[in-house]
């Protein structure tokens, strides 16, 4: 089986080699846990280190801001956009104003799943994308939780058909158990949980791979850091809580 | 009383010989606990080791993907499908596209319980199935919890009439108590709970037989592993939590 | 005051002689706690040991299956049915198919309380029943909790008028506090709670009499077992949790 | 200030002399805690020991059954009914059948607060009642919790106008905190809480006076027993939980 | 800044001199915690010790009963009513019967906020009130929680315009966290919480000042007593729970 | 990257230099935690120490009262208002009465987001504001929680376009986990949580920076005080809870 390397230091060791190809993985965490950074790093390292093009479906942030954020970690995505190896699908600005002029891939109505899927497919095919990040899937069913499972299955089916490996960012509340609702948790192929917990007056970051179809993986909770070069996971350390 | 051997190493010891024939057993667990693997192993081992044909009602995953998943554990189901000893009832793809051409047993509207039961009966009768897995029953009442009990009773009645022993996969949320709702828990003949718990920074797998009509059984929580040959239950060990 | 002996080993000691006649007792417990077995044993022992005929209102299980289940404990109810000392009121199959031909007492619409009461009265009068088991009352108000209290009061009034002592099986969820809802708990004359709890990786059975009008009773939690001859309560032991 | 003696052994010591006259006291507890017995004993002792007539508004139990229950504690209320010192207002049977013939005070529609108040006033005036027990007030607003406060205020106003001291039985669920809802707890003059708790495998009875307008009172939790002569409170003992 | 002395022994020490003038303070507590007594003592002591007239908006109790209650602590309010230094606004009896004849300030429809405010303003102006107690504000939004914040802001605006310092009694349930809902807690200038907690089988009274705009204050939980002369706060003691 | 100094003693050390420019930061806390003071101090110190004009959107308090409150800490905002360096946008009084005459920036209908944004933009542009405080955003979606995320995104977009750095005050309940709801927590660039907790009978103030885009920051919980000169954060101390 082919594996998709995350390129995030320490993470591929935890995954015993990487994410099995075509898996759809839920990247679940509360506010401030580093979900967006993890997702962006996965896409950028895919291009830089493994020559696997990728796209990011942006539902939470302006594409311009995403580029600025990524550059703060030294990830020059504009270069890869020009080379046709990276694309942002703008499902945030709803195609209004300056974004409509500058962005190539625009979803005008993010509540219209079919439009989102059409634009996503177009971007994947033009870029030849092997990796997809959706930040966040939660937005797609925030006010219609009954549709969560159906939405995730639909996206999964499309991405599997296109041969992509994907990270679905799932926003959960502080102190919430679970990973984003029962309909979603059981539908995905893998779950990586990012946590930020206060222990004795200090915030600690850690992650745990809860499930990953097609591979064994570390069953431990590992601490990680967010540095100015992105996330570093300590695959050799365990956080006991 | 005849017993149906699960064929899962360690499991039949825990069940004091196997599942009493015709019992409908809830296989309940959170995401990543191994419910689908347990269910597939039960069906495959039935054919291989006890010559008892079986069918799998697929509501969560594409039949093609299920075959791939089973082969990763060395369970060549295609052979048994050709021999007429195994069948997948496709209640996932809704009979669209290539699946409609390749799959023999198709449920076009999984919300139509009667169609599902008709196709299931047809498959059971043609195969001469003794074992049935439904993965998952939760999907059948996800958005209509008031109907859960009625659905389970209906399925149970049909399966009992056909002389089948069945596993009903029940998806529960992380941290949820219970096995899938009061209407369901009391309706089934047995409950096997699969758990995945973080203990001191490490994920631990265990299972417990909560009830099983017609037999005594181990009253203990046993650790188990998911290996590349499937599940192995440690019937001689107890996990204290 | 006359007392109705349960005939369950150890149970009458706990009740300081048995259930006061005409009491309606809630038999409350989660899945797998042995509620149905307790109820069936109460009815069977009534006939065998105290010559008190009884009826069972079956709402959860096919009458044929109930007979099989009881025979597994050595309780040959068919004999007593022929002698006119026991009857099953079939409120499960809704009078369809073979059950309609074989069963004498049939409730065609279990949602129609009045029909249920009429058939129950008919059976009680023909059999001369002194004991009644309803398995379960929960089913009667599963989807209409506002009606629970009214339903229980109605049944209680009818049964009191007929001079019967009754067990009302109440299904509760795992981890639920209480015995089946405030409207029900306060309406009944007695409450016996059956529990199944995991303690240090092992399931333990115990029961406690929470209230019983017209008698003192053990105020302790007693362990019990389900053997192949039915329930045995250890009235001389206490389970501390 | 005049005080109304409960006549329950130990209870008046706890109340530093009894309930201040005209107070409306919530008698709150879960199933099996002895609320009805406490209420009946308060009324019976009022007549026997203090020559204060009383009435009982029966909403949970048939008047015939209430008389039987009271006689089991040696409280011959029929005698006092004949003497015109005690009356039961039947708000339970809804005036149907034999009760309609035998009972003097009948509320035909317990959902009609005005009818209930009219019959209650009539009974109080004819008997010259000084004490009133309502068993239970919970029934009056079971399915309309928004009306609870209004109902309690209405009853309180009527009873104050008639110079009565009253116990309002409030049914709460096992494990529920509080005494019957915020609208009720703040509206009454006093709260006596009856508890039944499992401690180390044994049920323990205790009560605590949570508030009582117009008097100081014991601030401690006292154990009590239900004997065959009624309730005995151990005012010299404290239960620590 | 001018401060309004509560006149409650120990309380002004805790407030580092009293409540800053014009503050609206939430006086929050469960049943039996002494909220009404605190409020009445604040108003009475204002008149007696600081010559600051006050009014009490009565929403929970009959004005006649309030006068009786206050007299039990030796607070002769009738004298001050005659002198024009104290008034009760009757928003309880709805202006029916004898109250309509005897009371000067009557709110005929307590659900009509505008009428309540008009009558309150009239009373404040005629009396020259510097202190206002509303017992309770909870009643004003009991069945319309969405209106709580708006109601509190409206009252606050009116009272600030009139130069009054006010206590708003807030009824909370036993075991409820918070002080009466988020809309209310953030809207007021100060929060004083009264508590009644069972510790080792004994009820203990304590209070804590959670916030108070315009002044520092004790940050500690202080025990207090209700004596026959009213509340005494132990500003030199701390209750650790 | 340019940083906006809070000017609050100890706070900029915790933020490793200040808030990254253009960040929208949620300032989240329960009642009495000091959110409004923090927000006002941030704006006042911006003008005094860094010559960065600012505006305050007032949704919870009368502009006149806000000026009084600020002056109590020695912050003479009237001077800066006259100099055109500070402005209060009055979204509290709804433009009625004297406020309508005195205040320059008035939002007549605070439920009309568009009017609020228009007035805010006008004030920002006229003042040349670099800092914005909204006290509180919670008010904007108090009775329409489904709109919370959309409202926050809209404000964020407008403020980013104008180059402002902003504090959004978020009111949470005592004991509530989280920072103001999932839709809000994930939408903002930073979260600062203010806490007030009772520890051993004493209230303790502390804050923690939960996330801050574009900078590292202290991961610890720091105690702080509210003095008569405003907030002082102890960046060198840690509170363990």
């Amino acid at each position: 089986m082919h594996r998709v390397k995350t390129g995030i230091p320490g993470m591929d060791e935890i995954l015993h080699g990487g994410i099995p190809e075509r898996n759809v993985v839920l990247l679940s965490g509360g506010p401030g846990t580093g979900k967006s950074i993890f997702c962006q790093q996965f896409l950028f390292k895919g291009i830089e280190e493994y020559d696997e093009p990728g796209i990011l479906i942006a539902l939470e942030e302006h594409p311009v801001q995403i580029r600025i954020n990524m550059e703060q970690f030294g990830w020059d995505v504009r270069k890869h956009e020009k080379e046709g190896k990276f694309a942002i699908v703008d499902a945030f600005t709803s195609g209004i104003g300056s974004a409509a002029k500058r962005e190539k891939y625009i979803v005008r109505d993010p509540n219209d799943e079919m439009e989102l899927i059409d634009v996503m497919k177009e971007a994947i095919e033009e870029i030849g994308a092997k990796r997809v990040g959706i930040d966040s899937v939660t937005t797609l069913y925030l006010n219609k939780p009954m549709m969560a499972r159906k939405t995730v299955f639909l996206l999964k089916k499309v991405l599997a058909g296109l041969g992509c490996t994907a990270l679905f960012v799932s926003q959960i509340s502080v102190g919430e158990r679970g990973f984003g609702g029962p309909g979603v948790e059981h539908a995905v192929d893998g779950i990586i949980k990012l946590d930020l917990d206060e222990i004795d007056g200090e915030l600690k970051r850690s992650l745990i791979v809860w499930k990953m179809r097609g591979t064994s993986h570390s069953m431990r909770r590992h601490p990680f850091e967010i540095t100015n070069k992105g996330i570093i996971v300590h695959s050799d350390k365990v956080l006991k809580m």
Side-chain angles (χ1 to χ4, degrees), chain A residues 115-179:
Chain A
E115 192 202 351
L116 185 133
I117 283 170
D118 284 345
V119 179
M120 181 179 81
K121 281 173 79 169
E122 188 195 338
I124 291 170
E125 284 166 357
E126 287 185 15
I127 294 287
K130 290 292 172 206
R131 301 179 182 215
V132 172
I134 303 182
D135 189 359
S136 70
V137 287
T138 309
T139 302
L140 297 174
Y141 41 79
L142 197 63
N143 289 338
K144 41 184 178 176
M146 303 273 276
M147 299 305 291
R149 184 181 173 274
K150 202 181 149 193
T151 300
V152 168
F153 269 130
L154 189 59
L155 289 167
K156 212 178 130 181
K157 194 188 291 187
V158 172
L159 292 167
L162 294 164
C164 296
T165 304
L167 293 186
F168 284 12
V169 171
S170 174
Q171 297 176 342
I172 62 170
S173 295
V174 172
E176 184 185 340
R177 298 204 59 169
F179 312 109

